Structures are given as C-alpha cells and as structure tokens.
Amino acid sequence: MIKLNLKILSFLVLILFLACNTENKTPNVIIIYADDLGFGDVSAYNQGILHTPNIDRIANEGIKFTNGHSSSATCSPSRYALLTGSYPWRNSKAKISTGASMIIDTNQKTLPKMFKENNYSTAIIGKWHLGLGDGLINYNSKISPGPNDVGFDYSYIMPDTQDRVPTVYIEDGYVKNLDNSDPLYVSFKENFDNQPTGDKNPEMLTMKWHHGHFNSIVNGISRIGFMKGGKKAYWSDIDMADHFLNKVKSYIYKNKNKPFFLFYSMQQPHVPRTPHPRFEGKSGMGPRGDVIIEADWCIGELYKTLEKENILENTLIVISSDNGPVLNDGYYDNAVEKIGNHTPSGVLRGGKYSLYEAGTRVPFISYWKGVTPSKVSNKLISQIDLFNSLSTIIGSEIKTSDSNDLSQLLINGDGNEREKLILEASGKTALKYKNWIFIPPYKGKAVSKYTNVELGRSNSYQLYNLKNDLSQRKNLIDQEKEKLIELQEIYNKIINN
Ligand code: NG6
Ligand code: CA
C-alpha cells in the first residue's frame, strides 16, 4: 500500500514538475550517440577496465540504465528507430546503408520534426548513415532529400560511416569545401580510371584492411566504395572528433538562448579507428581504446561548454550507443591483440551484429542537472521509447505507436518500464519479455568468421531467463516448454501486427 502510494506520489510530482516546466522552461535536449560502444566500455558500468571519467560523471550524477537497449545490433536500423520512434523491421529499407537512398520517408513522423513543431531549433552533427537522395546522387549540387527534409534545421554530417566513401562532410545538403573545378564522383560498383585501391596498392596503406574495405584509399586507409575527385573536400580522419566537437560547440553557442534539440552523433569507436595523436597510446589497448578515451574527452568538453554557457541546468542529456561492441570489424588495428583484460560486452553474450544481449544492450544514461536523481535503474527501456518520452517531457502531443512513454523513468529513474521489446540483428528478430529472451531458429553460422562475434543464430529455438542467467548460457527450451509457447505467441503477435 505504502509502495503504491509512493508510486502515485512520485507520478504526481512528475506531472506537477512537467506542468510547471512546460510553462517556464522547456529543456534543451542533447542525444549523444556513440557508434559501436559496448556495455562494458563505459567504466561507470563496472564491467571492463577502460577509464571513461567524463561519461562516468554524467552517469553517476544522473540515471544509469543497466537494461537500456538500442533497437538493433547495427547502425542504420538503430538510428532509424531512434529518430522515428518505430521498429526498423517494419521498414524493409532500414538495413545497413552503403550509399543507399534515404531510409526515412520525408512524410514520416520524426523526433526532430516533433521538436520543431514545439518551437525547438534542431540539429544533427556527426554520423548520419540513414541514406541520402532518392537514387543516384550528384555530389556536386544540392543533395536531397537528407536530414534537413526530416526535421533538422541544421545538419553537418558524415554521410554513411568513416569506412565508406565519400570521405567528405555535408553541410545542409552541400559537400563542404568542394572545389567546382574538381568535381566529386562516387560509385559502389566500379572504380574510376584506375584510381588506387586497397587491394591493388597495399604499399599506400598505413592501416591494412582485414575484410571488406579494400576500395578507394584516402589518408592511407582504404574504404568501402570508389571515389574520384573532390580532393579539397576530403576529411582528415585524425581531426574528425575535434571537427565535430567544434561544430557542436558553435551550435550550442549560437542557440543557447532558445530551446534546441541536438543529435550529437559521434563516429567513435567504429572502424577505421583514428585517434588524434594526442590520444594515441592513452588506453594501452590500441586505437579502439584510444578513440573511446577521445570520445569521452569530447563529452567532457561538451559538458564544460554547457556549464560555461550557463545552460547545463536547462539541458537534458541522453548518452547511448547505436549497437554493441566489435573488435575486428575489417582493419588490422590491434583491437583483438591489445584487448588484455578489458571486456567491451561485460558479462553479456555476443556483440555487434548479435541477437544476444550485447548486440543491443548498450550504455544508456540520462542526466538533467538538478532534476534527475543520481540513480541506477535496471528497468527495461529502449531507444525507441525516447520519442514518446521526450515528447511528454517537452509537453508535446505527438506520439508514435511503437514508442512507450517512459518519461518518468527517464527523469526520475523510476516508473513504468517497457514490458516487451523486439530485438533486431541483420534482419533477424527476437523477443525480450520481462526477464525472458526468446529467439526463433535461424539458419546460418553461429559465429561470424570475420568478426568472431556469436550472432545468436541456432537451428533450434532459444529461451533464456536473464534473471539468473544474464550471460545466456542455459537454453531452457526443454525445461520451460510452456514459457516457450507463451513467448512465441507474444512474439508472433507483435511481428505480425
Ligand atoms: C559492414 C562492414 C563493417 C561496418 C558495418 C556497418 C564489411 C565487411 N563490413 O558491412 O565494417 O562498416 O557494415 O557498421 O564491409 S554500422 O555500425 O555502421 O552498422
Ligand atoms: Ca554502429
């Protein structure tokens, strides 16, 4: 009874708070989104041995979710889910994008549109990876549709990933620093007049490719896809973190007097891992550890900027990652050799590309100075839920049907949690229901021969009880026949809906 009353009381406090809040001040919202950062890579989670003091401070002062999920075990689908509040497996285009046309339809509801309709300025700075244009792209004129057509007032992006061409930044639809006398051409099918490539010109490489990534060479690194021209526009890999951070700082500076939504979409620790020289060797784990330390530093700088501009108390910060960790993702960069005792997935099974927990259970932190309590929450929350939760927090009515309103959880660290969640990895899906995981049978290799990640596929059904088997070692299909049927029914109902 007392427990129930406390719950009602905390709910009323939130409602009261939100009511006052929407009248007086609506918080800025910054989503800091890392690329391939594992559950065990953030030291606040006490799972690995890397040291991330700046993320830790935010995690420890705010709410640290230990059961927070991205929608998918790869990038584009997770980003799609985050920005649209809908499951990516409902959209056949929401797959890893390589020079593809835009995945989000310009008519769709999106998170930035929701903010915009509530008088926010909106921006994305960093990795996009949701496709651009609607067919063959001409990089020498305005590229559209793009982020600015789905709700972002300002966009400064890397189009796909750091390992894909074109290796240029795009600002509000235009390739930055493009020289008209040296047009940029891109193809994912064939090379342009014998331009050097990773497979034909290994002598030009400073980082060797392991699998994939053997096409055009830029800055001594061969990438996925072919490119010709546009040389003045090429990014410097080692300066990318500073470059995005500077854009973030000036965006904050320019917009500090009005509410803004900023999606700071970091490139680390995705391959190719290219720390600025001042971070080289800092982790003792090679470039993968070093770029995580670099990303942590950037987050510290962002925090300082908000403090300096006097808006930390008026800014809700969410930190998470698009999918779980991977060591060898296509380049020889010592990630495997130098990992030592560090455990990027923590005690969780799998990693990037996996249907097991480490594929999608990622660092997930919310912090609003003076508002969020210092708390650890083991309640289930998905990045898909940010849509409806943030919508409630800023007093908007705009919601989506796949997203759950977990605004209380995001702000108080308590309140309703998500009950059912479909997890996705490379087009395969599984169900998380309370403490249970149900994975239907899938054909294919159990372990990726390239990345060495356990993908979660098996010829038989899989059923795990995370309550006493967080590492998913005991398949309970023989012991828990009724549970298996119950979960299969729930799974089918959601998937076929
Ligand atoms: C894969 C790439 C991998 C990575 C991934 C996307 C190969 C063999 N592998 O196709 O290196 O780029 O795509 O990663 O090319 S993600 O985090 O953006 O989803
Ligand atoms: Ca990723």
Side-chain angles (χ1 to χ4, degrees), residues 35-36 73-77 79 96 98 127 129 160-161 163-164 211-213 224 270-271 322-323 329-331 352-353 450:
D35 192 0
D36 300 0
T74 57
C75 183
S76 311
R79 283 156 202 270
I96 294 182
T98 305
K127 170 168 168 170
H129 209 191
D160 275 350
T161 50
D163 60 1
R164 283 163 170 74
H211 56 273
H213 310 97
I224 299 172
H270 195 284
V271 295
D322 64 346
N323 51 252
D329 206 14
Y331 294 95
K352 180 176 180 178
Y353 308 111
Y450 294 118

Side-chain angles (χ1 to χ4, degrees), residues 110-169:
T110 68
L111 195 59
K113 278 186 197 170
M114 185 277 288
F115 278 108
K116 222 165 126 71
E117 280 167 37
N118 286 273
N119 300 317
Y120 274 64
S121 297
T122 56
I124 171 173
I125 294 169
K127 170 168 168 170
W128 172 240
H129 209 191
L130 283 163
L132 290 169
D134 53 12
L136 265 190
I137 299 176
N138 177 359
Y139 287 90
N140 305 293
S141 57
K142 184 159 189 186
I143 301 157
S144 164
N148 299 60
D149 302 289
V150 291
F152 288 107
D153 296 317
Y154 177 68
S155 65
Y156 193 95
I157 57 166
M158 156 164 80
D160 275 350
T161 50
Q162 209 183 325
D163 60 1
R164 283 163 170 74
V165 301
T167 54
V168 297
Y169 299 117

Side-chain angles (χ1 to χ4, degrees), residues 14 146 254 262 328 336 439 443 497:
L14 178 81
K254 277 190 210 135
L262 170 62
N328 181 342
V336 175
I439 309 179
K443 288 202 182 80
N497 185 352

Side-chain angles (χ1 to χ4, degrees), residues 20 155 246 354 368:
C20 299
S155 65
N246 287 334
S354 179
W368 180 356

Side-chain angles (χ1 to χ4, degrees), residues 77-353:
S78 283
R79 283 156 202 270
Y80 174 84
L82 172 76
L83 292 182
T84 63
S86 37
Y87 277 128
W89 44 265
R90 296 198 196 282
N91 178 349
S92 60
K93 284 173 78 185
K95 304 265 156 58
I96 294 182
S97 164
T98 305
S101 54
M102 197 157 76
I103 295 173
I104 303 176
D105 192 288
T106 51
N107 293 318
Q108 250 177 293
K109 272 186 204 170
T110 68
L111 195 59
K113 278 186 197 170
M114 185 277 288
F115 278 108
K116 222 165 126 71
E117 280 167 37
N118 286 273
N119 300 317
Y120 274 64
S121 297
T122 56
I124 171 173
I125 294 169
K127 170 168 168 170
W128 172 240
H129 209 191
L130 283 163
L132 290 169
D134 53 12
L136 265 190
I137 299 176
N138 177 359
Y139 287 90
N140 305 293
S141 57
K142 184 159 189 186
I143 301 157
S144 164
N148 299 60
D149 302 289
V150 291
F152 288 107
D153 296 317
Y154 177 68
S155 65
Y156 193 95
I157 57 166
M158 156 164 80
D160 275 350
T161 50
Q162 209 183 325
D163 60 1
R164 283 163 170 74
V165 301
T167 54
V168 297
Y169 299 117
I170 298 175
E171 184 175 40
D172 288 335
Y174 291 95
V175 172
K176 185 83 181 166
N177 297 332
L178 188 66
D179 176 355
N180 289 341
S181 65
D182 181 27
L184 170 64
Y185 299 103
V186 172
S187 166
F188 290 91
K189 290 204 182 94
E190 53 196 2
N191 198 3
F192 298 93
D193 10 288
N194 294 319
Q195 296 286 310
T197 57
D199 54 348
K200 301 226 170 74
N201 305 85
E203 75 287 352
M204 289 176 66
L205 301 178
T206 49
M207 192 193 292
K208 292 208 166 15
W209 56 277
H210 176 273
H211 56 273
H213 310 97
F214 48 74
N215 304 147
S216 286
I217 302 172
V218 180
N219 305 331
I221 303 167
S222 48
R223 322 270 166 159
I224 299 172
F226 304 98
M227 197 169 58
K228 181 190 155 191
K231 288 227 158 64
K232 276 201 182 142
Y234 292 1
W235 65 50
S236 158
D237 291 276
I238 56 171
D239 293 313
M240 185 177 284
D242 287 333
H243 193 75
F244 284 142
L245 177 65
N246 287 334
K247 296 284 166 201
V248 161
K249 282 182 176 172
S250 57
Y251 179 79
I252 291 173
Y253 186 73
K254 277 190 210 135
N255 290 277
K256 64 182 174 185
N257 294 323
K258 45 189 170 186
F260 65 80
F261 164 61
L262 170 62
F263 182 33
Y264 178 18
S265 177
M266 306 180 95
Q267 88 280 12
Q268 304 107 324
H270 195 284
V271 295
R273 296 151 183 150
T274 54
H276 187 274
R278 67 186 191 280
F279 294 100
E280 250 176 60
K282 285 282 186 274
S283 66
M285 291 176 200
R288 183 175 186 278
D290 296 347
V291 297
I292 293 176
I293 289 182
E294 178 186 67
D296 180 70
W297 175 84
C298 293
I299 292 172
E301 291 301 295
L302 168 64
Y303 187 99
K304 276 192 220 156
T305 306
L306 297 172
E307 254 181 343
K308 190 169 140 247
E309 301 303 339
N310 250 323
I311 54 170
L312 189 60
E313 281 84 355
N314 194 29
T315 303
L316 169 61
I317 302 171
V318 176
I319 304 179
S320 200
S321 171
D322 64 346
N323 51 252
V326 59
L327 295 180
N328 181 342
D329 206 14
Y331 294 95
Y332 287 97
D333 65 1
N334 278 324
V336 175
E337 294 77 1
K338 291 198 166 178
I339 193 72
N341 293 326
H342 180 57
T343 45
S345 296
V347 298
L348 306 178
R349 190 170 179 183
K352 180 176 180 178
Y353 308 111

